[in-house]
Amino acid sequence: MTPTQIGLDFLVADEPVVQLGDTVAIDTSFPEESANALAHIESFNKHLFRPNTYLHKRWARRSGTTFWHILKQLVPDPARRDYYFPGGLEGVTVLDPMMGVGTILHEAIRPGAYVIGFDIDPIPVLQAKASLSDVPLSEKEKVFRAFRSELVKRMLKYYVTACPECGGAAEIQFTLYGQRKLGPDCEVLVADSLALREEPDGTEKNIRTTYPSLEFSIDGRSWPIVEKDEANKNGVNRKPSDILSNTFAERYVPLVIAGHCETHKGFLKKIDPADNMNISAAARWVKRNAHFTDADFQIPDGPKSGDLLNRETQTFL
Ligand SMILES: [Zn+2]
């Protein structure tokens, strides 16, 4: 079973590992319990340790451990099918004609297989190419630095706020938003939690520090701020009718900025008028530079998109 080079820069085995009519392990049994347990851990870790710069996660991306389990069942030698036993598919070619973002290919390379993948959708193909190509680190760093400096030049100004201690320019690390929801009496802003940060000494920074009466006002309108659990208990779960056709971002109102001043270090501050002007300027920049109109993103009624329409989401934006 020596691999042979044929045309197009890929390799195939002289003879297929599995002959037509053969039964492979996966046809007769599958280690469901261990596959399920490991996929569970993998999904949990993926959420916890998500890197802050990452090519957009493909929606259909499945758990790699599940595919590793499947591939291990194709190992000809039963003694090498164990999940933790390395290798087993050396010299074999794995073809995935509908590869999506290439999870199968990523997993098949590790036990030694050659891989070929296709997909009709160009976006996952781009992602699979990017993640499967062996690009030298120095090359990646060069591209990243160029991208970052361009990003800083164009976007950094939207991430600056005034330090509440000295009034100097400070960096915005993130902004906490409240979601507009309709309660029995009025519209409210729902925050996941009123607790903003727990300090190492056990004390808590709370939204009440910035909004003592738990009320947010802007341009003559005001909303009570309600914690999510409290909102759920009191039947606050409907979306205000005027935002049904708006983009998801417009359902949120910025409340608190977490920032960092060179002199005064980390702080949490109430959104002030200058911050709101900054957010509006960023929104205008997006509108000016976007090569699409809202109409391009209207959700059509279909077997899957119907779910979104039923949840009162009318635009992909
Ligand atoms: Zn300061």
Side-chain angles (χ1 to χ4, degrees):
M1 216 164 300
T2 22
T4 316
Q5 180 98 41
I6 61 152
L8 298 173
D9 205 25
F10 55 75
L11 296 149
V12 292
D14 284 340
E15 286 168 32
V17 170
V18 182
Q19 300 285 349
L20 205 61
D22 280 357
T23 301
V24 293
I26 198 168
D27 294 329
T28 55
S29 68
F30 184 69
E32 287 158 34
E33 259 177 49
S34 76
N36 188 41
L38 285 169
H40 188 78
I41 295 169
E42 184 185 345
S43 319
F44 182 71
N45 285 346
K46 252 197 270 195
H47 283 290
L48 277 190
F49 305 110
R50 190 171 291 181
N52 58 5
T53 49
Y54 190 72
L55 197 61
H56 192 285
K57 190 173 145 76
R58 177 81 182 157
W59 301 284
R61 183 124 198 207
R62 304 288 181 233
S63 146
T65 51
T66 306
F67 285 117
W68 177 263
H69 269 102
I70 293 170
L71 288 159
K72 288 302 276 191
Q73 304 315 302
L74 302 175
V75 171
D77 176 3
R80 302 181 72 193
R81 278 180 201 150
D82 183 80
Y83 184 88
Y84 294 102
F85 200 96
L89 292 178
E90 295 83 358
V92 170
T93 300
V94 170
L95 165 70
D96 186 352
M98 294 172 278
M99 66 171 176
V101 79
T103 308
I104 276 262
L105 307 189
H106 280 95
E107 294 304 322
I109 282 174
R110 294 163 60 210
Y114 300 109
V115 297
I116 304 170
F118 298 94
D119 205 285
I120 195 169
D121 185 343
I123 294 172
V125 170
L126 173 75
Q127 289 182 281
K129 266 187 183 166
S131 55
L132 286 163
S133 302
D134 190 11
V135 181
L137 185 59
S138 59
E139 197 56 35
K140 287 182 187 168
E141 278 174 343
K142 207 171 87 191
V143 172
F144 177 76
R145 278 200 205 96
F147 176 72
R148 189 178 183 283
S149 87
E150 199 56 33
L151 198 64
V152 162
K153 204 163 72 192
R154 296 191 201 184
M155 308 294 286
L156 193 64
K157 59 181 177 222
Y158 299 120
Y159 289 86
V160 176
T161 188
C163 164
E165 293 262 348
C166 64
E171 171 194 310
I172 296 177
Q173 291 174 321
F174 53 88
T175 304
L176 295 159
Y177 287 73
Q179 189 179 13
R180 291 174 56 199
K181 286 272 177 89
L182 204 54
D185 308 318
C186 61
E187 200 177 298
V188 301
L189 296 181
V190 177
D192 274 355
S193 165
L194 294 187
L196 294 177
R197 176 184 289 166
E198 192 176 312
E199 304 294 353
D201 65 7
T203 57
E204 185 186 281
K205 288 262 192 313
N206 192 288
I207 247 178
R208 284 193 182 86
T209 323
T210 44
Y211 299 97
S213 59
L214 290 183
E215 187 165 278
F216 175 80
S217 310
I218 187 174
D219 299 335
R221 283 195 74 178
S222 65
W223 293 266
I225 301 169
V226 182
E227 196 165 33
K228 197 175 182 178
D229 289 348
E230 192 67 23
N232 287 339
K233 254 186 270 165
N234 294 315
V236 179
N237 49 27
R238 285 174 305 139
K239 290 166 186 126
S241 56
D242 69 304
I243 59 171
L244 291 185
S245 58
N246 288 355
T247 67
F248 203 66
E250 285 168 76
R251 296 179 183 183
Y252 289 83
V253 174
L255 292 176
V256 177
I257 284 178
H260 186 268
C261 166
E262 287 294 340
T263 317
H264 301 101
K265 308 300 170 201
F267 60 80
L268 293 161
K269 66 172 265 198
K270 186 174 170 167
I271 291 270
D272 64 31
D275 295 320
N276 269 316
M277 277 166 64
N278 215 0
I279 292 170
S280 305
R284 280 198 304 276
W285 186 90
V286 170
K287 267 251 176 311
R288 240 186 357 261
N289 290 280
H291 300 286
F292 50 79
T293 65
D294 290 359
D296 294 331
F297 286 86
Q298 286 301 307
I299 298 172
D301 197 5
K304 286 192 173 176
S305 54
D307 285 351
L308 291 171
L309 295 171
N310 288 339
R311 293 195 182 97
E312 299 174 340
T313 301
Q314 288 160 11
T315 161
F316 285 115
L317 288 171

